[in-house]
Amino acid sequence: MNYSIVEFYDRWGGMIWKATLETFQMVSISLAISVIIGLPLGVLLVLTRPNKSLENKYVYQTLNVFINITRSIPFIILLFFLLPFTRFLVGTSMGVKGVIVPLVVYTAPYIARLMESALLEVNKGILEAYEAMGIKTRHIIWHVMVREARPSIILGITIAIIGLIGATAMAGLVGAGGLGDVAYRFGHLRFEPEVMYVTIVILIIIIQGIQSIGNRLAAKMKKD
Amino acid sequence: MIQLKNISKTFYSKNKEVEALKDVSLEVKKGEIYGVIGYSGAGKSTLIRCVNLLEKPSSGDVYVNGQKMNSLSPAKLREARKKIGMIFQGFNLLQTATVYENIAIPLKLTGVSKDEIAKRVDKYLEVVGLQDKKESYPSQLSGGQKQRVAIARALSHEPEVLLSDEATSALDPETTESILALLLKINKEFGITILLITHEMHVIQKVCDHVAVMENGEIIEQGTVMELYSDPKKETTKKFVNSLFPHDIPEAGLNVMKQQGPIVTLTFVGESAGRPSLSMVSKKFDVHTNILSGNIIQLKTQPYGRLVAHIQGEKAETDKVMEYLREEGVRVDEVNIDEL
Ligand SMILES: Nc1ncnc2c1ncn2[C@@H]1O[C@H](COP(=O)(O)OP(=O)(O)OP(=O)(O)O)[C@@H](O)[C@H]1O
Ligand SMILES: [Mg+2]
């Protein structure tokens, strides 16, 4: 089959545009929730690790093991494994709403890990200097630790977004749509390779764009 | 102002115990600059960190301005810490914040009002001479400038005490001088008591009134700087003092010289360091003097000099010379060749 660009656009444009929006929707919602959950967990991991201010073997090890377990399960399996839990939590396991839960379960622990390593990079001398000035621990966490780690946090989130976009490709299986789903259905199942190529190009552009925005933001915040 | 009473601190790490401080006591009077010197691992940092309870002593009591620090509640401890400034070898500034923000953020977090913050930042940046760097980031500053920002940050809380943990150790000699001059100025102008830690004797010599020497977690000697310089008792103290008076005299010549008259160390303190006693000697007596090595250094309040000299002449004459010099206020010690 051969189309002109106009014909292609007329025929598939609306659908691809819709799929792009669905991908953005899934990624942004699950990213927001994952950061809200992952950042505090990352902080907790840093504070409770051995030789740190709130050292707590049980909290640290429990978190550690939990994160490792969720991170060892491939997303596609997590998606099905979590079906009952998802239905219980949001009333449905289908559509964008249904896919957010597994996406968050998949991404939040990953973000917790990325936050942990970003926060560990912060020079502990600075934290000590603030402690010596009589500043509350929660202020030190937010205004010193998280602040100083911002460049690495941004880079971490960039990596997480890219992982999330990959995971949303499988979201089609629960009818959530998205670009990956379009590429799979039309390219593989209905043999419309042009549609697949176009969606792949769009995905590549999005990922390149996100990575360079992330790099630029991080560099700007780094101040050196 | 600062009193440490019988402080001990033991670190426990994997099946190992390190006794970093062993029954250390020390008192820093209001308005003075007190130095602690010692080699790496002597326990200096642990000691200074006990003052603001960054390190909790295993036993013993810490008093700052009459307040017992080691039994305060967390909230009270935070209050007390606001009045104890601290500067570090590594500066410890926020890399992602400007000079202005580096001073303003801690003030804001300790509840200082907006107007007051702006005033204080300006005031203390002027004290450290960095008004024009307000909008710079630490990565754009030299080491000396970073330490000045750290000092301004500490001063902006208007502390009574300043703790300095090797604040000049990462700086070149010239920058070190300027930071030391700044510490002296702070001490004089704001009357801030300073406890500082160093492994460099010239830091002690430049700014300190009192000094303690630490070794293996113990204070082995303490006193005024002049006392320790003129009469060091312990080996380590002697080494530190000697580091300021290097002498490399060819050993071969020494035995020959010794036949012709005594080799002496002449120590001049204050007044006598300025007077040319030694040059008078060869005019007044039938001897020749020959300076083998020597140095005169400026202590905080007075000059202090030490020469190694050979006095060549008959024993009767050289004895008279030594007596004459002693009358002039010079300390004269005959030297064992092995000690040189
Ligand atoms: N947190 C810690 N855990 C275990 N051991 C420690 C700890 N802090 C210090 N020590 C040990 O205590 C001893 C004294 O250390 P301290 O840092 O006070 O020495 P220092 O005199 O400041 O040395 P330097 O000049 O190298 O800074 C050392 O043997 C060190 O290994
Ligand atoms: Mg130290």
Side-chain angles (χ1 to χ4, degrees):
Chain A
M1 252 191 278
N2 273 316
Y3 312 100
S4 75
I5 289 181
V6 176
E7 272 171 340
F8 182 88
Y9 185 81
D10 280 345
R11 183 140 178 221
W12 305 111
M15 185 197 70
I16 292 177
W17 177 241
K18 183 167 162 276
T20 310
L21 288 182
E22 281 162 356
T23 296
F24 269 111
Q25 203 182 5
M26 283 187 280
V27 169
S28 50
I29 296 173
S30 40
L31 179 74
I33 301 174
S34 299
V35 170
I36 291 171
I37 298 172
L39 182 58
L41 286 184
V43 170
L44 202 58
L45 275 171
V46 170
L47 294 181
T48 55
R49 65 174 31 230
N51 298 321
K52 284 295 159 67
S53 54
L54 298 175
E55 174 169 358
N56 187 325
K57 259 202 321 252
Y58 304 105
V59 175
Y60 180 75
Q61 281 308 339
T62 311
L63 261 178
N64 209 14
V65 168
F66 172 74
I67 289 172
N68 286 343
I69 291 174
T70 49
R71 296 219 45 222
S72 22
I73 305 173
F75 180 67
I76 190 88
I77 294 170
L78 202 64
L79 188 65
F80 289 113
F81 177 74
L82 286 177
L83 279 178
F85 177 66
T86 307
R87 222 170 286 137
F88 166 75
L89 212 62
V90 293
T92 173
S93 59
M94 299 295 288
V96 169
K97 210 171 162 191
V99 86
I100 296 292
V101 174
L103 281 176
V104 168
V105 174
Y106 178 67
T107 310
Y110 187 34
I111 287 188
R113 266 285 181 259
L114 291 166
M115 295 303 123
E116 180 192 20
S117 67
L119 295 172
L120 281 177
E121 278 172 28
V122 176
N123 175 355
K124 96 178 206 307
I126 303 179
L127 307 180
E128 220 158 49
Y130 275 71
E131 194 188 340
M133 287 187 276
I135 291 167
K136 293 193 180 93
T137 308
R138 68 186 157 87
H139 285 155
I140 296 178
I141 292 170
W142 186 252
H143 293 273
V144 183
M145 213 155 78
V146 174
R147 181 202 170 95
E148 284 285 282
R150 274 181 323 192
S152 314
I153 289 178
I154 297 285
L155 286 178
I157 289 179
T158 308
I159 297 172
I161 293 175
I162 291 171
L164 251 178
I165 292 175
T168 57
M170 289 164 240
L173 295 167
V174 293
L179 281 169
D181 176 51
V182 168
Y184 174 72
R185 268 192 297 135
F186 289 82
H188 187 69
L189 300 180
R190 286 172 52 178
F191 212 73
E192 300 269 6
E194 288 83 359
V195 177
M196 184 173 74
Y197 296 146
V198 170
T199 41
I200 287 174
V201 169
I202 292 176
L203 280 169
I204 290 174
I205 293 171
I206 291 175
I207 284 174
Q208 291 285 353
I210 286 168
Q211 187 67 60
S212 40
I213 291 172
N215 289 348
R216 216 163 301 165
L217 263 178
K220 197 168 155 233
M221 283 186 170
K222 206 151 183 187
K223 309 293 182 196
D224 60 17
Chain B
M1 195 65 177
I2 303 174
Q3 271 176 297
L4 301 179
K5 291 190 177 162
N6 309 100
I7 301 289
S8 295
K9 173 76 190 181
T10 310
F11 289 107
Y12 299 93
S13 48
K14 291 183 202 98
N15 52 51
K16 218 177 61 181
E17 280 183 25
V18 182
E19 262 190 286
L21 296 174
K22 302 167 195 162
D23 197 27
V24 171
S25 298
L26 164 153
E27 179 171 359
V28 184
K29 300 240 161 59
K30 193 171 167 60
E32 76 172 344
I33 304 186
Y34 196 109
V36 176
I37 189 165
Y39 292 116
S40 192
K44 308 180 297 292
S45 295
T46 310
L47 178 75
I48 202 166
R49 291 158 55 82
C50 280
V51 175
N52 58 2
L53 270 282
L54 282 181
E55 214 73 79
K56 202 172 174 350
S58 310
S59 66
D61 291 325
V62 180
Y63 294 85
V64 176
N65 207 0
Q67 192 173 32
K68 186 169 166 188
M69 298 287 290
N70 50 321
S71 56
L72 293 177
S73 67
K76 286 267 167 55
L77 178 59
R78 280 200 301 272
E79 280 311 307
R81 278 173 170 166
K82 291 178 190 170
K83 292 284 153 231
I84 307 174
M86 189 169 196
I87 54 176
F88 308 82
Q89 179 171 357
F91 321 124
N92 295 340
L93 302 174
L94 295 173
Q95 293 300 311
T96 59
T98 61
V99 167
Y100 182 93
E101 293 168 321
N102 259 295
I103 303 169
I105 290 171
L107 287 174
K108 195 175 136 215
L109 297 180
T110 46
V112 178
S113 75
K114 237 181 173 174
D115 295 343
E116 179 69 13
I117 291 176
K119 259 190 247 157
R120 289 207 203 165
V121 178
D122 284 335
K123 176 175 175 192
Y124 291 105
L125 275 180
E126 191 177 337
V127 171
V128 302
L130 284 180
Q131 306 95 303
D132 54 331
K133 296 288 184 193
K134 247 183 177 176
E135 299 307 321
S136 303
Y137 287 91
S139 57
Q140 300 163 328
L141 302 178
S142 70
Q145 289 171 330
K146 284 184 214 169
Q147 197 57 283
R148 283 169 188 272
V149 177
I151 291 173
R153 177 177 70 182
L155 291 180
S156 70
H157 297 264
E158 315 202 311
E160 292 152 340
V161 172
L162 181 68
L163 308 175
S164 161
D165 188 354
E166 306 259 14
T168 59
S169 297
L171 307 174
D172 63 56
E174 210 169 303
T175 314
T176 296
E177 292 305 307
S178 75
I179 294 294
L180 292 179
L182 180 58
L183 291 181
L184 273 176
K185 174 172 141 183
I186 289 165
N187 173 249
K188 282 210 193 85
E189 256 173 49
F190 304 105
I192 296 176
T193 308
I194 300 179
L195 173 59
L196 68 81
I197 274 187
T198 181
H199 59 261
E200 290 168 310
M201 204 57 184
H202 78 268
V203 170
I204 300 282
Q205 155 208 326
K206 259 264 146 64
V207 299
C208 292
D209 303 298
H210 274 86
V211 56
V213 182
M214 276 196 86
E215 188 172 32
N216 290 328
E218 287 173 295
I219 289 185
I220 54 168
E221 210 166 342
Q222 55 185 318
T224 66
V225 174
M226 187 55 80
E227 280 164 4
L228 250 80
Y229 271 60
S230 39
D231 195 13
K233 299 213 162 55
K234 295 285 186 349
E235 237 359 85
T236 307
T237 317
K238 283 181 191 166
K239 267 196 218 157
F240 274 119
V241 176
N242 286 341
S243 70
L244 292 168
F245 301 98
H247 37 58
D248 45 347
I249 303 163
E251 217 173 298
L254 287 176
N255 282 311
V256 183
M257 277 185 210
K258 194 87 189 184
Q259 311 294 318
Q260 301 163 347
I263 296 169
V264 292
T265 309
L266 307 173
T267 310
F268 311 83
V269 175
E271 277 284 275
S272 62
R275 259 183 289 156
S277 312
L278 193 60
S279 62
M280 294 300 293
V281 158
S282 31
K283 284 190 188 149
K284 289 195 164 187
F285 304 93
D286 184 19
V287 294
H288 294 291
T289 57
N290 185 14
I291 296 172
L292 302 176
S293 76
N295 195 4
I296 294 180
I297 57 176
Q298 185 61 44
L299 297 187
K300 187 177 175 182
T301 48
Q302 51 195 338
Y304 174 88
R306 199 201 279 176
L307 302 178
V308 180
H310 179 217
I311 305 173
Q312 197 179 337
E314 294 297 324
K315 174 128 174 47
E317 277 302 284
T318 60
D319 281 352
K320 272 193 241 164
V321 168
M322 289 201 253
E323 199 176 315
Y324 167 78
L325 286 172
R326 285 190 181 116
E327 277 165 15
E328 288 286 292
V330 179
R331 182 181 157 142
V332 185
D333 297 291
E334 217 169 318
V335 181
N336 258 325
I337 292 181
D338 314 331
E339 278 177 17
L340 280 181

